[in-house]
Amino acid sequence: MSIANVLEIARKYPCREQIITELNDLIGSPSEPLPNAIYVYGHTGTGKTAIVTEFLQSLPIKSKILSCIECYTSKLLYEHVLNSFYSHTVSKSNNYTPFVKCESMHGFIESLRQLPADSSYIICLEDAERLRDMDINILPTVLRLQEMTGLNICTILISQLPFDKFYLKTGLVEVQTIFFPQYTKAETQTILGNDFVNVKKRLASKLDNNEWSKILDDLESDFYDNYLNIFLNVFYRACRDFPELRSISRDCFQVYVEPVLNGTIDRNDVSKLWRNISKPLSAALTAVYMRMDSAAENQSNKALEDNQSFKRISQSVELPYYAKYLLIAAYLASHNAANQDKRLFVKNHGKQKKRLQTVNAQAKVTEKMQTNLGPKSFTVDRLLAIFYAILDEKVGLTCNLLSQISSLVHLKFLSFVSGEGNLMEGSARLQCTVGLDFVSHIGRIVGFNVMQYLCDFM
Amino acid sequence: MPVAGDEIETTRKFLKDRLQRDFITFRGHEEEWENIRGLLRRTVETGESNSVLIIGPRGSGKSKLISSVLYSLLSEKDFYKNALIVHLNGLIHTDDRIALKAATVQMKLENAVEGKVFGSFAENLSFLLACLKSGDKSKSKSVVFILEEFDMFCAHHNQTLLYNLFDVSQSAQTPICVLGITCRLDVVELLEKRVKSRFSHRQVFLSPSGDDFNERVELFKELMRLPTEKELRALEPRSINLVDLNSSLCFLRNIFEPKNYKFSKTHVEKWNKHIESLASSVAVKTVLEYLYDIDVTEVFFKNFLYRLVSKLNPDHSELTVDDISKVASVYNTDGKVLLLNGLSVLELCLIIAIKHHSTIYDRDPFNFEIILGRFNKFAKTSTSMQGVERAVILKAYEHLKNLEIISPISGGAAKVQKEFQMNKLMLTYGQIDQAVAKYPALPTEVAQWAQSSIA
């Protein structure tokens, strides 16, 4: 491909010129022999697929780009590739039949062999790590199609993983690898800065206020650069995923620019602007990757501040009084060993002999604590026993009480380990799925100190 | 008069072509080459039946040996006329039914079969066997079966195909030669007893020798130089009429043909001088030696050269030492470390926490809660990582899992919550240390924490 083309793509994808040149070098001019396989890897959001797609489309070579998630069976994979190379489109007129029915590697190779040998072909497989889960022969075969078909054909694999994750027991053939490095902070800022015009347009259409739109239009890229600087200082440590950063920066910019629009803060007063945005930014940081506020975008300001209390809201699901105790009992049952129950819940549990052996056994490191290793399962009988032990008042074992166990299961606070549906006969085993924070919170509401009853904290 | 730029383009194409498609020139292992050639020739000429396994690691030139031998034999008319070649690949012919069908087609028997219904596997097999058995030493054509990825055939049901092929090769019927190619050293152990006893136990081992670096420099020169006009003229045209023979021999279908290229005399001289000077420079030799230490196989080296040659273009008409060391550095880098450097500081902190856990508990598995506890201990005292929410940390942890930096240990843990799912670390401590050292603008406290687990 000509240099002009490379530059064209490089302009579209800033900070990637070197990689595009490398790709172009490997593919070479259309009549040249292609490499057997190219392996492209790098983190998500570094432009692997976008650049390879753009590049292949600008080539006068027949190419097919497939996602291994989409083509989850080998049959789909083969037929899509063949359809594309034989320029066959499935449509209503041919009753959505593929060019040839192809279910095995043998058929696929045979059909490929019948392609005209004088042109070149490229198959590009995204999410190539999925190939490992498909039939065992696919991965080694697609890496050496040239040898097997006698065509000038090349396979490009795109994945997040390093190539050593693909090795089979008997090894794989050599491939050419291209690594897409993660954008550096400066590069991220440049790319986000290029987006300023779009951000302004989006915001203007959302605000729907002529006067404000005018102020917005007047803002210069320096202003946005300042914002990005502040933004990246907060976010860059927790998240380097470019699409994620872009989406959050767009949302937060509205909060940043609002005081400038309504005239409370001068646009050049950087420190005041910073004080204004720092709180919403750190609130947004807690919600990075969550994409929680996308629905409530119009009130993004409020949503960002609310995110911090989101957990609290989820915790304040108002449970009935006995259900709260049941949940605490379930937590204790899950995180205490059954042989400790007597000591914890019976008043006169007898004298405990203190021997060095037992002292040593009980000395725990945080890593081996029950609360860190996950919940153990317990029977309904044990749950009820602990429930009665921690509850001061007397309450009858009624149907109402038992039904609260199943509502806790429905709320996903408890889950069945085995014997689902045998709640009444007592053979069911359950486990408690909520965390210590949650349970101590509930405990505080009913005036019960959970920590006191956990062996881990004694 | 060709323009200088075009010359470079053709040079690049020529070199790439030779690196990619020269399936015929075989270097080294002369003894084995002669051995296989003699074997095939005896099968065809005197009607001896034989079976042999060629064993060697990937990239040691097993397939190339076969193609080179076949090419040299096929140019002999006697062989060409009297041999049928069946080429099967364990990766393509995944079960005996497919393999048998392909064999029938390649032996040009499909017309004979068509009259009958091309029915069950058993019928097909017995037909093929009847064809094979009806012949005798003197009058019937010899059949050469080439089975690539031989170990895959061993996994077929009852090893029916192998059993029958070896059986025919043991009895005085149609002369056949079974050539198995595999990279599994224990392949004979994979054969069933009744199959094993019919195998001739002739094995040829190909292992790349790694003690002659001068040869590698010679190979560099040989693969990179252009042929002079005289040399081109001296070459015989390489062509085989595959249509008559067997269209499935794909490796012989698109072979490199130096006769298709023409260069001006001055350019060839200039280029060859350039290559000579490169090959004699000390810096280049160090790089080549370094690559030789990584991998001695020719395939690896060709892969490297391909990448090097692809750097040529009209604006960059000569390769420099710098180019060579730059391309070589691709083979020097560890993909995992590169990926680690693309992680956020938070994710790197988690990896450091995992590393500390692993060193203390001797690579015991860990779950999210354990790592979170360790991380929080650090975060409390640090200025940069304070106030990161649990949910964000969990997300970062999941990202590590997606990148297969940590992977869940197996064993019925389907119902465990993801925070408590036990994982193991898939990195070495060295890789983590490298990544920490190379990470751009890492906060000092994190770097210090990486050094010692006492926060």
Side-chain angles (χ1 to χ4, degrees):
Chain A
M1 192 174 63
S2 65
I3 306 296
N5 254 334
V6 173
L7 291 178
E8 169 77 32
I9 299 176
R11 204 164 41 243
K12 262 190 177 164
Y13 298 93
C15 319
R16 282 285 177 251
E17 191 177 332
Q18 204 194 338
I19 290 169
I20 300 168
T21 323
E22 210 170 322
L23 193 62
N24 183 39
D25 283 345
L26 280 180
I27 301 286
S29 65
S31 59
E32 261 172 50
L34 294 164
N36 269 316
I38 303 176
Y39 184 73
V40 175
Y41 70 113
H43 284 284
T44 45
T46 47
K48 302 182 294 291
T49 308
I51 288 173
V52 171
T53 311
E54 184 104 358
F55 179 77
L56 290 182
Q57 275 162 2
S58 72
L59 286 179
I61 294 180
K62 272 201 171 173
S63 59
K64 176 70 184 166
I65 300 155
L66 286 172
S67 160
C68 293
I69 297 181
E70 187 186 334
C71 299
Y72 57 98
T73 65
S74 44
K75 184 179 179 222
L76 285 170
L77 189 74
Y78 303 147
E79 287 179 356
H80 272 92
V81 171
L82 291 176
N83 282 346
S84 150
F85 284 168
Y86 283 100
S87 314
H88 171 89
T89 43
V90 283
S91 63
K92 202 178 173 194
S93 58
N94 58 25
N95 212 7
Y96 302 103
T97 45
F99 178 74
V100 278
K101 273 220 171 92
C102 179
E103 287 184 28
S104 69
M105 182 53 86
H106 177 240
F108 179 60
I109 297 284
E110 281 300 322
S111 311
L112 279 183
R113 279 174 186 167
Q114 272 141 39
L115 284 166
D118 47 358
S119 48
S120 313
Y121 305 88
I122 294 180
I123 304 173
C124 173
L125 300 172
E126 280 177 64
D127 304 298
E129 62 270 10
R130 301 266 174 149
L131 284 179
R132 297 175 302 176
D133 307 330
M134 287 163 125
D135 298 347
I136 185 113
N137 61 338
I138 291 184
L139 184 61
T141 316
V142 294
L143 292 183
R144 47 206 289 192
L145 279 179
Q146 228 170 73
E147 180 190 325
M148 291 183 180
T149 60
L151 293 171
N152 189 16
I153 192 169
C154 171
T155 313
I156 300 180
L157 302 180
I158 301 180
S159 167
Q160 279 190 64
L161 307 178
F163 192 61
D164 12 335
K165 294 279 182 193
F166 285 76
Y167 286 150
L168 301 172
K169 224 191 282 169
T170 51
L172 278 180
V173 289
E174 291 288 335
V175 295
Q176 306 284 358
T177 53
I178 293 181
F179 176 64
F180 275 62
Q182 180 70 273
Y183 294 112
T184 63
K185 199 169 170 185
E187 283 170 347
T188 315
Q189 189 158 358
T190 325
I191 300 170
L192 285 176
N194 290 345
D195 202 28
F196 187 42
V197 184
N198 287 330
V199 171
K200 275 205 278 194
K201 258 188 220 153
R202 257 171 61 107
L203 205 55
S205 67
K206 209 156 58 176
L207 289 173
D208 208 17
N209 180 330
N210 274 336
E211 204 175 319
W212 286 14
S213 302
K214 219 170 172 187
I215 306 175
L216 198 63
D217 244 11
D218 282 347
L219 290 176
E220 282 161 26
S221 57
D222 274 0
F223 179 78
Y224 194 62
D225 275 348
N226 273 333
Y227 161 71
L228 286 179
N229 206 3
I230 295 170
F231 170 79
L232 285 180
N233 273 337
V234 175
F235 271 84
Y236 205 62
R237 288 195 173 161
C239 169
R240 284 178 77 176
D241 185 37
F242 184 78
E244 192 65 37
L245 284 175
R246 188 177 56 186
S247 108
I248 304 168
S249 78
R250 278 179 180 169
D251 291 343
C252 292
F253 183 63
Q254 194 180 347
V255 187
Y256 183 75
V257 84
E258 224 159 51
V260 176
L261 294 183
N262 57 31
T264 43
I265 301 178
D266 184 64
R267 74 177 66 163
N268 292 322
D269 193 350
V270 180
S271 59
K272 224 176 197 177
L273 279 171
W274 184 78
R275 248 171 281 143
N276 182 48
I277 189 73
S278 68
K279 216 172 181 188
L281 274 187
S282 51
L285 182 61
T286 65
V288 65
Y289 291 122
M290 304 293 158
R291 301 270 167 112
M292 276 189 300
D293 49 352
S294 58
E297 218 169 357
N298 45 358
Q299 42 164 337
S300 65
N301 188 4
K302 200 165 166 293
L304 286 175
E305 279 165 4
D306 278 354
N307 279 336
Q308 215 155 22
S309 56
F310 181 81
K311 213 173 91 190
R312 306 273 172 279
I313 299 167
S314 72
Q315 285 179 2
S316 67
V317 176
E318 196 51 52
L319 290 171
Y321 183 70
Y322 292 137
K324 281 181 181 138
Y325 268 102
L326 272 173
L327 190 58
I328 294 170
Y331 187 82
L332 294 177
S334 260
H335 293 91
N336 283 327
N339 56 14
Q340 298 287 333
D341 282 354
K342 193 179 164 203
R343 203 167 83 75
L344 285 169
F345 303 112
V346 178
K347 269 207 185 106
N348 298 314
H349 51 75
K351 200 179 169 198
Q352 239 197 343
K353 276 185 200 157
K354 265 203 177 163
R355 280 188 299 176
L356 193 61
Q357 213 179 355
T358 46
V359 173
N360 277 344
Q362 276 169 16
K364 284 180 204 95
V365 276
T366 36
E367 276 73 19
K368 302 282 183 244
M369 289 202 312
Q370 287 296 315
T371 40
N372 268 348
L373 289 175
K376 303 279 178 294
S377 65
F378 51 84
T379 58
V380 177
D381 292 342
R382 188 168 162 230
L383 170 69
L384 289 172
I386 294 176
F387 172 73
Y388 280 110
I390 60 176
L391 195 65
D392 292 334
E393 55 194 289
K394 287 264 173 277
V395 52
L397 179 59
T398 58
C399 190
N400 280 338
L401 193 64
L402 285 176
S403 77
Q404 295 197 2
I405 297 178
S406 37
S407 35
L408 284 176
V409 173
H410 276 293
L411 286 168
K412 306 269 181 202
F413 291 157
L414 304 182
S415 73
F416 277 105
V417 176
S418 65
E420 212 158 327
N422 298 347
L423 200 60
M424 299 304 279
E425 63 184 79
S427 67
R429 293 190 79 86
L430 294 149
Q431 66 179 21
C432 176
T433 58
V434 295
L436 180 59
D437 293 344
F438 192 108
V439 171
S440 7
H441 184 74
I442 302 258
R444 237 171 284 134
I445 295 173
V446 294
F448 180 85
N449 188 353
V450 180
M451 303 287 256
Q452 222 174 6
Y453 286 88
L454 279 169
C455 282
D456 279 347
F457 299 103
M458 288 199 173
Chain B
M1 191 66 204
V3 196
D6 284 353
E7 286 279 7
I8 288 296
E9 295 260 339
T10 355
T11 309
R12 185 176 75 192
K13 192 172 168 189
F14 173 84
L15 292 174
K16 272 187 172 183
D17 203 354
R18 182 161 63 189
L19 289 171
Q20 266 318 78
R21 296 201 187 130
D22 193 355
F23 298 119
I24 293 165
T25 325
F26 186 75
R27 298 178 187 82
H29 296 294
E30 284 87 6
E31 209 175 300
E32 285 86 355
W33 194 85
E34 282 299 335
N35 187 354
I36 298 290
R37 186 183 146 99
L39 210 66
L40 285 181
R41 183 192 276 254
R42 282 201 302 274
T43 305
V44 174
E45 280 175 8
T46 56
E48 271 179 42
S49 286
N50 250 316
S51 51
V52 62
L53 276 177
I54 303 176
I55 302 173
R58 270 210 202 275
S60 54
K62 305 174 293 290
S63 309
K64 203 166 173 195
L65 177 109
I66 299 286
S67 56
S68 161
V69 166
L70 276 185
Y71 177 76
S72 87
L73 284 172
L74 285 172
S75 47
E76 289 173 24
K77 214 169 176 193
D78 226 19
F79 185 88
Y80 186 86
K81 272 195 171 158
N82 286 319
L84 274 174
I85 296 172
V86 178
H87 184 250
L88 301 176
N89 189 323
L91 290 171
I92 303 174
H93 306 99
T94 42
D95 62 41
D96 277 350
R97 175 186 288 272
I98 294 173
L100 208 60
K101 247 182 205 172
T104 320
V105 172
Q106 291 187 24
M107 288 165 76
K108 304 219 169 61
L109 288 171
E110 76 266 39
N111 294 330
V113 177
E114 228 156 13
K116 311 161 189 186
V117 182
F118 203 14
S120 69
F121 176 74
E123 260 173 57
N124 202 343
L125 181 68
S126 61
F127 167 74
L128 195 71
L129 287 179
C131 286
L132 287 175
K133 281 176 186 164
S134 63
D136 63 43
K137 257 178 149 183
S138 48
K139 41 177 206 225
S140 53
K141 269 191 175 186
S142 317
V143 189
V144 178
F145 277 91
I146 300 169
L147 307 178
E148 286 206 52
E149 309 287 339
F150 184 80
D151 47 315
M152 307 278 270
F153 287 98
C154 297
H156 293 179
H157 183 63
N158 281 344
Q159 305 186 339
T160 318
L161 183 75
L162 292 184
Y163 174 82
N164 286 302
L165 285 182
F166 284 144
D167 196 41
V168 173
S169 82
Q170 284 292 313
S171 46
Q173 296 159 352
T174 307
I176 75 167
C177 180
V178 182
L179 274 172
I181 304 176
T182 178
C183 52
R184 282 189 67 163
L185 291 177
D186 62 341
V187 66
V188 179
E189 301 307 311
L190 297 175
L191 295 173
E192 280 173 28
K193 211 166 126 204
R194 61 199 178 98
V195 182
K196 204 196 269 180
S197 67
R198 283 167 172 78
F199 170 52
S200 71
H201 285 270
R202 191 178 275 125
Q203 297 176 36
V204 174
F205 289 94
L206 284 188
S207 52
S209 63
D211 49 1
D212 195 0
F213 175 64
N214 285 336
E215 216 168 83
R216 179 51 64 90
V217 181
E218 288 305 312
L219 183 62
F220 174 77
K221 281 193 238 170
E222 191 188 329
L223 287 174
M224 293 297 283
R225 71 192 294 280
L226 295 176
T228 56
E229 226 169 296
K230 216 162 127 199
E231 285 168 326
L232 270 182
R233 227 176 296 132
L235 285 172
E236 280 180 31
R238 296 173 159 181
S239 66
I240 300 173
N241 192 356
L242 277 181
V243 184
D244 282 356
L245 189 67
N246 179 350
S247 56
S248 298
L249 291 175
C250 281
F251 53 90
L252 294 177
R253 186 169 146 190
N254 209 350
I255 45 175
F256 164 66
E257 169 61 277
K259 291 231 163 203
N260 293 342
Y261 295 88
K262 267 206 177 73
F263 301 101
S264 75
K265 210 173 162 188
T266 47
H267 175 72
V268 171
E269 267 171 25
K270 198 176 132 214
W271 177 262
N272 286 347
K273 223 183 240 167
H274 168 57
I275 293 300
E276 279 294 333
S277 74
L278 270 184
S280 56
S281 108
V282 181
V284 173
K285 271 191 185 157
T286 346
V287 176
L288 292 185
E289 197 155 9
Y290 171 72
L291 288 171
Y292 197 62
D293 288 343
I294 298 179
D295 200 334
V296 291
T297 57
E298 206 179 299
V299 182
F300 172 78
F301 189 56
K302 280 185 171 175
N303 200 33
F304 160 75
L305 288 182
Y306 185 92
R307 194 146 190 163
L308 181 66
V309 165
S310 70
K311 289 250 180 277
L312 283 174
N313 60 44
D315 299 329
H316 186 84
S317 61
E318 285 199 340
L319 296 167
T320 60
V321 179
D322 199 36
D323 286 334
I324 296 181
S325 47
K326 225 186 239 166
V327 173
S329 72
V330 173
Y331 298 92
N332 183 20
T333 47
D334 184 344
K336 282 181 188 161
V337 176
L338 288 178
L339 283 175
L340 285 180
N341 277 331
L343 293 176
S344 66
V345 178
L346 172 64
E347 284 151 351
L348 198 66
C349 280
L350 288 183
I351 291 180
I352 294 171
I354 292 169
K355 181 195 152 195
H356 288 327
H357 173 85
S358 304
T359 39
I360 294 169
Y361 293 101
D362 201 19
R363 286 204 167 247
D364 260 4
F366 49 85
N367 64 22
F368 173 69
E369 293 292 338
I370 294 173
I371 298 308
L372 180 69
R374 198 164 275 282
F375 171 76
N376 276 339
K377 245 191 251 167
F378 163 72
K380 247 185 260 164
T381 59
S382 83
T383 49
S384 54
M385 296 317 292
Q386 247 164 14
V388 187
E389 284 279 315
R390 182 194 156 93
V392 177
I393 302 175
L394 182 59
K395 193 75 194 180
Y397 188 78
E398 301 256 286
H399 187 209
L400 297 183
K401 208 188 272 179
N402 277 343
L403 287 173
E404 298 187 14
I405 288 170
I406 55 177
S407 81
I409 52 173
S410 49
K415 278 201 167 173
V416 182
Q417 292 162 266
K418 60 183 174 186
E419 290 99 321
F420 299 111
Q421 165 84 63
M422 285 296 184
N423 289 288
K424 59 177 188 286
L425 179 65
M426 305 297 278
L427 296 170
T428 63
Y429 300 144
Q431 282 169 328
I432 298 174
D433 291 341
Q434 262 186 54
V436 170
K438 278 188 195 164
Y439 195 92
L442 188 71
T444 334
E445 49 186 9
V446 177
Q448 278 167 356
W449 182 45
Q451 296 303 317
S452 85
S453 60
I454 307 149

